[in-house]
Amino acid sequence: MSQFLQVPSPVGVLTLEAEQERIVALRWGEAELAYDDRSAVLQEGAAQLEAYFKGQLSAFDLPLHVKGSDFQKAVCAQMSAIPLGETRTYGEIAKELGQAAQPVGNACGANPIPILIPCHRVLGANGLGGFSGAGGVETKVTLLRHEGAAGLLI
């Protein structure tokens, strides 16, 4: 059974979802769900998101569970390895996985746990690429600026 917790943030209200004390999703906006603020993993997720947005956290340390194919999980693992303030391209991740860039882009866009799995740190070869969170590329730019990667955007 899923548990949910809403977290205010500079990029809008975020809703964390957990199952069996592992975070399985992060969504933008409020939804009519059964919220549970007693979940330890959701409380820790909220605390780490707050610290991240205050500039006090450079890496999330939470139990995550990506629901998806082995390929989706591999792409998420590659994204999770990108340090704060750094970026990779879809092509670089594709090369690491021995795949084409387009499926990597699709997997990034389907990332179920954005921000915690930093798909915003993955760029196109000749531009920002997309972002599936609320606000689209504007939110991606906001997150990259927050992390000190704004020099890449000039």
Side-chain angles (χ1 to χ4, degrees), residues 31-115:
E32 294 189 22
L33 303 167
Y35 291 97
D36 184 353
D37 62 2
R38 295 167 292 158
S39 165
V41 73
L42 291 176
Q43 287 297 324
E44 182 60 24
Q48 288 191 29
L49 281 165
E50 181 179 341
Y52 165 78
F53 283 113
K54 286 181 176 179
Q56 301 169 341
L57 182 78
S58 61
F60 294 101
D61 183 19
L62 295 163
L64 306 178
H65 176 69
V66 175
K67 294 180 179 180
S69 68
D70 288 343
F71 179 70
Q72 177 73 41
K73 292 175 183 177
V75 171
C76 285
Q78 289 287 317
M79 290 187 292
S80 293
I82 304 170
L84 181 93
E86 294 184 24
T87 61
R88 300 287 182 274
T89 66
Y90 300 110
E92 289 170 333
I93 291 174
K95 186 176 180 181
E96 284 288 321
L97 297 175
Q99 298 288 328
Q102 186 171 3
V104 169
N106 292 339
C108 289
N111 174 14
I113 317 173
I115 302 176

Side-chain angles (χ1 to χ4, degrees), residues 6-25:
Q6 291 180 349
V7 181
S9 84
V11 294
V13 174
L14 305 174
T15 298
L16 289 170
E17 178 181 353
E19 293 176 2
Q20 299 176 347
E21 288 302 305
R22 299 179 299 177
I23 294 175
V24 297

